Amino acid sequence: MSSDDEASVTEPIRVLFVDDEQRLVEVAARFLEDLQESFVVVTETSASDALDRLDHEGVPDCIVSDYRMPGLDGLEFLEAVREEHSKVPFVLSTGKGSEEVASEAISAGVTDYLRKDTGTDQYAVLANRIENAVAQRRAERALAERERRLAAQRDELATFDRINAVIQGIIRNLVAAATRDEIEHTICERLAASELYEFAWIAERGAGGDLAVRTGAGIDDTDGVDVATDGEAVAEPAARALETGGVQVLDPADGSIVEDEAATDHEHRSAAAIPLSYENVVYGVLAVYSTRRDAFSEREQSGFAVLGEIAGFAINAAQNMRLLLSDTAVALELHVPDGSGFATRLTERLDCRYSLDGVVPGADGTLLQYVVVDGVAPERVLDAADESDLVASARLVSERETGSVFELAITDSPVNTLIEVGGTVQEFTAEDGEARVVAEIATDADVRTVVDGFEAAYPGAELLSKRTVELPLRTEGTFRQTLDERLTQKQRSALRAAYFAGYYDWPRDSTAEQVAESMGITSPTLHNHLRKAQRELAAAFLENDPDA
């Protein structure tokens, strides 16, 4: 049995019994309630009083009415009821039934027709008629509700398919967008051009904490859109999206987003605010308005959340590309407080110095950091790394006069965070429980956004300085010149001989012994020259490399 059927059995059946004889309605109510436990019977002695009760208390599950009554008779009462309540079960009873009365009652929409009798057995028949009529009506209502829900689900799925197509189309277009402005313009234009949304804009938080619109579409003048910042900013969806990093939906009655006269013409019913974020950095917030009722369902919000993440990634990638192609960058010097990461904890605990040599992406989202630690035995560093939940693995690479070199697979650190937000880490040193990091970002990147993202990950971090720096010009000619200056004549000869003899091909065209014999040197001597030459080649390639 379905839940709807169970409800129809256990739910009380409210009956309005109408007859002009007071004693009869009292008897009828008592017998009906005794016969059926679920019956709740109320009575009236006139049709006009019954209509007043309907107006004040609402429609019952079933109405039973006598035909012959002073004032409005049963048929007139039925017609009055049907004007407002066309589906409520209505049973008409009369002591003098006729074919003509029955025909009129059926034409007026009566549910059942019953002749009065003198004995009490008539109430059992009436109770059965009432129960059957109510059960049928409830079944009809349950079926209609199921059909309504199915139709709503079909409409929702069809709408979601259209929404998904719009979002997927935007994501495909982002591939061709080369700058942040192009990315943001593409998102707003595509959303406003669809039939699903009225208009959209993207804003970022300004220096004063207010939200300034960067671009928009579907609005004649984006300067006319203002986001409220008057002490109720926590309640407005755009600010909440920036603060929480999640999609926020606006009830139009909320009034937390304010527009001027140019925007109010759209008469939107709902809106959503979506953060554009990547890792710990929120680049801005996308506001989308729709005239659809019940817009921005959970599925729709999930789709927009993905769009916000991909847009944030695209903005980050565009800024990284800008940094690679630019001859200038903005260098940020940041102070990291004690306890913020493995490096600061290590130097505070072991009284040592920690400096970064280079980084390489590792497995499972880790970052391989090659670091030099001075002033402490290597075993103590490895023990500390083994105890830390921030270090996935650690190994000693070598020991030098300047300190021990370690390879650390670190899951979270200031270096990781700065790389994630689009920075290139040039220096990272830690001593006495505090760290200093220098990172370069693209000149058109929003410094405040990067610093806010870093401070969110490391509370207490502080921007010490910001300056524009010239990036070294790396061309094929300068690279060859740099490498040529690094190699000795013997190293250069060994490298050229091995290359042209096919020593680096696979499978090899010449062995090391054959190349050495051709040069008139021993095989160990050749290997020594090649290893040193390869080391200088790698150093020339990786020095000043943004990815290093």
Side-chain angles (χ1 to χ4, degrees):
M1 183 180 291
S2 70
S3 60
D4 291 331
D5 293 335
E6 291 174 359
S8 66
V9 171
T10 59
E11 189 178 348
I13 296 176
R14 297 174 298 116
V15 180
L16 173 60
F17 195 99
V18 186
D19 195 297
D20 60 322
E21 297 183 29
Q22 179 67 40
R23 182 176 171 279
L24 190 147
V25 295
E26 293 174 357
V27 171
R30 185 173 72 252
F31 269 96
L32 288 173
E33 289 182 344
D34 289 343
L35 286 167
Q36 180 53 264
E37 204 174 278
S38 62
F39 281 1
V40 178
V41 183
V42 294
T43 63
E44 292 291 350
T45 55
S46 72
S48 57
D49 289 343
L51 290 172
D52 288 341
R53 180 184 285 272
L54 293 179
D55 289 339
H56 289 90
E57 297 182 6
V59 64
D61 295 306
C62 183
I63 299 173
V64 179
S65 175
D66 186 25
Y67 169 62
R68 294 187 181 280
M69 292 185 294
L72 293 177
D73 64 21
L75 283 176
E76 292 170 330
F77 177 41
L78 171 60
E79 291 171 354
V81 169
R82 285 290 178 252
E83 287 180 4
E84 297 292 334
H85 312 289
S86 61
K87 301 295 185 181
V88 60
F90 194 109
V91 178
L92 184 66
S93 67
T94 180
K96 295 181 179 179
S98 68
E99 293 286 339
E100 184 179 351
V101 173
S103 177
E104 289 181 21
I106 292 172
S107 299
V110 75
T111 307
D112 207 343
Y113 181 81
L114 184 68
R115 287 197 60 178
K116 286 183 180 180
D117 203 346
T118 55
T120 57
D121 291 344
Q122 65 176 318
Y123 296 116
V125 176
L126 178 58
N128 182 260
R129 300 280 183 94
I130 292 171
E131 197 170 9
N132 289 339
V134 171
Q136 181 176 347
R137 175 59 188 144
R138 287 180 175 176
E140 291 171 353
R141 273 202 311 242
L143 179 60
E145 177 60 22
R146 288 194 198 100
E147 291 175 348
R148 188 198 64 78
R149 286 200 300 263
L150 287 172
Q153 289 173 358
R154 286 193 295 269
D155 290 344
E156 182 181 353
L157 287 173
T159 300
F160 184 70
D161 286 342
R162 293 167 61 201
I163 292 166
N164 190 54
V166 171
I167 292 176
Q168 291 299 321
I170 293 172
I171 292 173
R172 286 192 295 270
N173 286 353
L174 292 185
V175 175
T179 67
R180 176 176 179 176
D181 287 345
E182 288 181 17
I183 292 167
E184 295 176 339
H185 182 72
T186 297
I187 293 171
C188 292
E189 284 290 336
R190 286 298 303 270
L191 287 172
S194 75
E195 297 178 354
L196 296 163
Y197 306 103
E198 287 297 297
F199 61 99
W201 49 257
I202 290 175
E204 64 181 356
R205 195 177 292 283
D210 58 327
L211 290 176
V213 175
R214 287 176 51 87
T215 187
I219 313 171
D220 294 335
D221 181 11
T222 56
D223 294 333
V225 180
D226 179 40
V227 184
T229 55
D230 56 354
E232 297 185 4
V234 177
E236 76 177 32
R240 288 200 306 268
L242 289 174
E243 292 165 4
T244 65
V247 177
Q248 302 294 320
V249 175
L250 168 71
D251 182 342
D254 185 17
S256 57
I257 290 186
V258 179
E259 303 113 25
D260 74 346
E261 295 178 359
T264 55
D265 293 339
H266 296 274
E267 297 180 355
H268 57 274
R269 291 195 180 101
S270 54
I274 303 97
L276 309 181
S277 60
Y278 177 69
E279 300 296 346
N280 292 316
V281 177
V282 180
Y283 292 99
V285 60
L286 165 67
V288 186
Y289 295 75
S290 175
T291 56
R292 286 180 290 119
R293 292 190 182 277
D294 302 321
F296 306 110
S297 63
E298 290 187 8
R299 285 183 175 182
E300 194 167 347
Q301 290 180 49
S302 298
F304 271 108
V306 172
L307 175 61
E309 292 171 2
I310 292 178
F313 173 81
I315 292 171
N316 177 271
Q319 292 182 344
N320 285 343
M321 182 59 66
R322 176 84 173 180
L323 179 60
L324 288 173
L325 300 177
S326 178
D327 56 1
T328 60
V330 176
L332 305 177
E333 182 180 2
L334 297 152
H335 170 261
V336 185
D338 56 351
S340 300
F342 174 71
T344 53
R345 297 174 190 174
L346 179 74
T347 58
E348 183 177 29
R349 173 181 169 185
L350 302 182
D351 190 24
C352 57
R353 189 173 187 279
Y354 180 111
S355 61
L356 179 70
D357 256 5
V359 295
V360 176
D364 300 325
T366 61
L367 200 64
L368 293 179
Q369 296 189 20
Y370 294 89
V371 303
V372 178
V373 181
D374 185 28
V376 66
E379 295 77 12
R380 299 188 67 190
V381 176
L382 293 174
D383 289 342
D386 187 57
E387 296 171 3
S388 175
D389 56 359
L390 299 176
V391 181
S393 64
R395 72 180 181 91
L396 176 65
V397 176
S398 65
E399 295 185 60
R400 308 174 184 168
E401 292 183 2
T402 56
S404 303
V405 179
F406 295 90
E407 178 191 82
L408 305 176
I410 297 183
T411 57
D412 186 23
S413 77
V415 174
N416 297 49
T417 300
L418 283 168
I419 291 174
E420 288 167 355
V421 301
T424 300
V425 178
Q426 298 297 334
E427 296 178 44
F428 179 76
T429 57
E431 196 168 5
D432 298 327
E434 297 187 348
R436 171 184 165 274
V437 59
V438 177
E440 293 175 355
I441 62 174
T443 53
D444 61 348
D446 183 15
V447 174
R448 187 71 263 163
T449 298
V450 173
V451 173
D452 285 348
F454 189 79
E455 290 177 345
Y458 297 96
E462 181 184 3
L463 177 64
L464 300 178
S465 67
K466 178 187 74 171
R467 65 185 187 280
T468 301
V469 295
E470 297 287 335
L471 297 178
L473 184 62
R474 290 169 60 87
T475 64
E476 181 181 352
T478 57
F479 176 76
R480 292 176 65 89
Q481 181 180 353
T482 300
L483 180 61
D484 192 62
E485 292 171 353
R486 288 175 175 268
L487 298 176
T488 66
Q489 181 61 44
K490 291 181 179 180
Q491 292 167 357
R492 191 181 299 107
S493 297
L495 193 63
R496 288 174 63 85
Y499 176 77
F500 289 117
Y503 176 74
Y504 294 110
D505 295 339
W506 186 261
R508 286 176 173 170
D509 294 335
S510 301
T511 64
E513 290 74 14
Q514 290 172 324
V515 175
E517 183 179 356
S518 299
M519 294 184 66
I521 57 177
T522 63
S523 180
T525 300
L526 175 69
H527 280 297
N528 182 51
H529 290 331
L530 288 179
R531 183 167 290 107
K532 289 181 177 179
Q534 290 162 1
R535 175 71 173 80
E536 295 299 334
L537 176 62
F541 180 76
L542 293 175
E543 283 180 359
N544 298 317
D545 175 25
D547 291 332

